[in-house]
Amino acid sequence: MKNYLLLFILTVAIPCVASGQESPQYITVANEGGATLGYSPESGIKIITKDNFKFKDLNRNGRLDPYEDWRLPVETRAVDLAKRMSIEQIAGLMLYSGHQAIPAMAFGFGGGTYNGKPLQESGANPWDLTDAQKKFLKDDDLRHVLITTVQSPEIAAKWNNMMQAYIEGLGLGIPGNTSSDPRHAATGNAEFNAGAGGAISLWPRELGLAASFDPEVVKTFGKIASAEYRALGIGTALSPQIDLGSEPRWYRISMTFGEGTKLVTDIARAYVDGFQTSEGKYEIKDGWGYHSVNAMVKHWPSGGPEEGGRDGHWAYGKFAVYPGNNFDEHLKSFTEGAFKLDGKTKEAAAVMPYYTISYDQAKDGTNYGNGYSKYIITDLLRKQYNYDGVVCTDWGITSDEGATPDIFAGKPWGAEKLSVAERHYLVIEAGVDQFGGNNDKGPVIEAYRLGVKEHGKSYMRKRFEQSAVRLLKNIFRLGLFENPYLDPQETAGIVGNPDFMKAGYEAQLKSIVMLKNKANTLPAGDKKTVFIPKVYRPASKNWWGMWAEPTLDYPVNIETVEKYYHVTNNPSQADFAMVFVSSPQSDNGGYSLLDRKSGGNGYVPISLQYNPYIATEAREHSIAAGDPVVDPAIADRTYKNKSTRTANAGDLDVLLKTREMMMDKPVVAIVDVSNPMIFNEFETSMDAIVVHFGSTTQAIMDIVSGKSEPSGLLPFQMPANMGTVERQCEDVPYDMECHHDSEGNEYDFGYGLNWKGVINDARTAKYKPVR
């Protein structure tokens, strides 16, 4: 990896060949007391010597231009390069690609071809560029690529080298800036072995990091994750998601750090500091360097308060509402956290607004989606809070929406009737720099022309250069202009190394919360016999609308459990039972096409309980409504007195039947929690309850057996019933009646047990609100 090349003082160019004979070759040139350069011999790049230092002649004009001079400040280099770029090149720089799998799938999401054929039929290597990637990199001048799955760390490094070599010889030699959504979440089947590595270090989900109530754990995660990201060729993290999780039904609350404003704010600061800060020999300037990853914090000004919990990825969830007049509270994780860092990088490098319309919050009287709103972006973010970093739209906001509100398609909320080019122009006028999920520069150039008609060429040229400078600074700071190449063997030694795996495992242990422990059921000790029931999972539809087959299986890694206990399928032979379930999962997102076709408005409740639910206490009338294209007739989105079911209602049957089968022997419920949930359906039947937010079976077994002591705390309230969920305000945290269990404990924010009882320590004193 380029970082380690700084350790050597070289006076000659050394060719480096990545492992695998067909990987692209690159050459490194080191400067004593300066930057190490890396370039592809096939790109046409030459080395310029000036003042006894070496520089890359990226535009191949035979002279050292300011943007090629690594000695100059980043701002100076970015301004110089932006002035050299054509409008077409800047338009390409303003694009952020759709999701790219490495290698591409044969079809569907993440699909792609190689010379017109699927990978398996093409003879291509898994690290080769797809046909679409070659097109958008060359023809559309795109330089920001979002990657998803990678076959292995080594292949990710080889793909990075292939991509960088391909574009290095094009135009002005601007390198690629690859990004990723979070990719470190642990799975139940994963296993930690001290001294062993893995594909990547495994950590709890964001809620689990929050459950540690320890920003230092999050900062450590950021440092490790950024080192792994850079080893994979990733320079930008599309994270953290620092929306305040004040609406319990919102399914993306599982990706937040909970509902505690102070806790979320401190975690946001720690996360960004961890990702962006390079230290020691890895630092280039002002905390930025070879271990730095740009953090794109999301979602400004918060996507948390979605009406009824419906999500903005769909037309039925386009509105965020503020019945508690608590808009400013949702800004604090940004303005007091991500924008006020302890480290030298000072503030998050980029911001992503959410899809939603922050209903009636813009003081200019408009109700646009946040990415279209000049008030939300320019007046509030840029002027009031002095933010001059990159602002990138969420993915697909300029595309057309689906034919019905439940179709996953474009999200042009508030701008539905505009053309695609007009939407791009409105986004640019709002103060945004970049278009997420757009591989085509055509609409950006059309938007430029619309601006020229309204403001003139000088104005639009200046506006485009303004965005170009912001975008280029985030590439310069990482050292990518000097050396964007990776050594796949070093990548393999960094990603998922034993020390990183150990740190992730320790964080998993800290994230697990024990809610109930009747008569000291836990720790269960060892050398016992346990009964674990299988769980039925009905067919379900994923994020992209693809259906999964129903299953009947153990919801846990039985081989791991067997290292702690003897497992039996006969309850009468067991000393105790463990029931592994998930929190209730809505079988809809708050909208039913069947209800619409039956004469209703289409809107239905989202339930946090297993049993069927009728929304008798819902609002008489929704706060917001309206879609001028696909559903103009619906002026009220209320779902009062309508019913709904959860997709995994069978989990409740498993819990209660296990209690019946075990008679008076202990039953331990282990719940994988993604949302606040109703416990009154089964809590009294359980002897112990342990919840986690994405942990391995091994970590859970270490808690259950007593090898480790639970220390996690709830990052949000657990409601007493659905009535309190309906009565709470979407924008207000801590406003529900909480569940009280049979042991007299209240499942409130910051609650958790250890072996001695309710945890009251420095963390709870700092973060639990005084009420």
Side-chain angles (χ1 to χ4, degrees), residues 303-602:
E306 307 249 9
E307 183 163 19
R310 300 182 296 270
D311 182 65
H313 279 84
W314 293 266
Y316 58 67
K318 67 170 66 174
F319 296 108
V321 295
Y322 296 85
N325 297 315
N326 205 32
F327 180 82
D328 290 345
E329 184 82 6
H330 287 256
L331 305 182
K332 291 180 179 178
S333 57
F334 296 89
T335 61
E336 298 179 16
F339 299 165
K340 290 185 179 180
L341 304 181
D342 293 329
K344 292 193 288 184
T345 64
K346 296 184 179 179
E347 67 180 13
V351 171
M352 182 188 294
Y354 204 39
Y355 297 116
T356 45
I357 296 169
S358 297
Y359 191 69
D360 283 351
Q361 300 304 304
K363 294 181 180 179
D364 59 9
T366 60
N367 268 314
Y368 287 121
N370 294 313
Y372 289 104
S373 174
K374 188 173 183 179
Y375 172 78
I376 294 293
I377 303 301
T378 293
D379 296 347
L380 188 64
L381 177 62
R382 295 212 184 276
K383 291 183 177 179
Q384 183 171 335
Y385 291 106
N386 301 310
Y387 184 77
D388 194 41
V390 168
V391 177
C392 177
T393 74
D394 212 330
W395 262 232
I397 77 164
T398 56
S399 300
D400 292 334
E401 62 183 313
T404 57
D406 61 322
I407 291 178
F408 189 93
K411 302 121 177 92
W413 313 142
E416 295 91 343
K417 290 187 175 182
L418 300 182
S419 69
V420 172
E422 288 170 335
R423 292 173 191 155
H424 281 77
Y425 181 49
L426 186 59
V427 168
I428 292 169
E429 286 286 88
V432 175
D433 304 300
Q434 198 165 30
F435 299 90
N438 184 357
N439 300 349
D440 180 6
K441 69 182 178 184
V444 185
I445 295 172
E446 288 185 64
Y448 168 80
R449 292 171 182 154
L450 291 173
V452 169
K453 288 180 181 179
E454 182 175 355
H455 300 291
K457 284 187 177 181
S458 177
Y459 173 91
M460 287 307 292
R461 176 74 204 188
K462 182 178 179 181
R463 174 65 188 85
F464 266 50
E465 285 188 16
Q466 182 184 48
S467 286
V469 169
R470 291 170 180 153
L471 291 161
L472 290 168
K473 284 163 68 174
N474 285 356
I475 305 176
F476 277 116
R477 286 166 173 158
L478 307 186
L480 293 175
F481 274 87
E482 280 58 69
N483 184 11
Y485 296 97
L486 303 169
D487 181 338
Q489 292 181 341
E490 290 186 354
T491 290
I494 293 169
V495 180
N497 72 54
D499 289 341
F500 291 177
M501 296 294 287
K502 180 180 179 182
Y505 187 74
E506 290 173 349
Q508 291 178 49
L509 293 173
K510 293 178 180 179
S511 74
I512 296 171
V513 183
M514 184 167 67
L515 297 180
K516 183 177 181 180
N517 195 22
K518 182 181 179 180
N520 295 322
T521 298
L522 298 179
D526 54 12
K527 297 181 180 179
K528 290 185 178 181
T529 298
V530 64
F531 169 67
I532 301 176
K534 292 183 177 181
V535 174
Y536 174 73
R537 291 280 181 261
S540 60
K541 189 165 60 174
N542 71 5
W543 175 280
W544 309 107
M546 300 171 65
W547 285 91
E549 294 289 329
T551 61
L552 176 64
D553 205 350
Y554 289 111
V556 66
N557 188 330
I558 289 295
E559 291 182 359
T560 299
V561 177
E562 287 176 337
K563 294 179 180 180
Y564 294 78
Y565 302 108
H566 173 67
V567 179
T568 180
N569 59 8
N570 185 346
S572 66
Q573 296 178 355
D575 297 307
F576 73 108
M578 290 189 294
V579 187
F580 291 82
V581 296
S582 298
S583 56
Q585 308 293 313
S586 174
D587 65 355
N588 58 69
Y591 186 86
S592 167
L593 194 58
L594 179 62
D595 178 86
R596 184 72 181 96
K597 290 180 177 179
S598 301
N601 64 1

Side-chain angles (χ1 to χ4, degrees), residues 102 150-157 232:
I102 303 173
V150 296
Q151 185 170 314
S152 70
E154 296 94 325
I155 286 175
L232 293 168

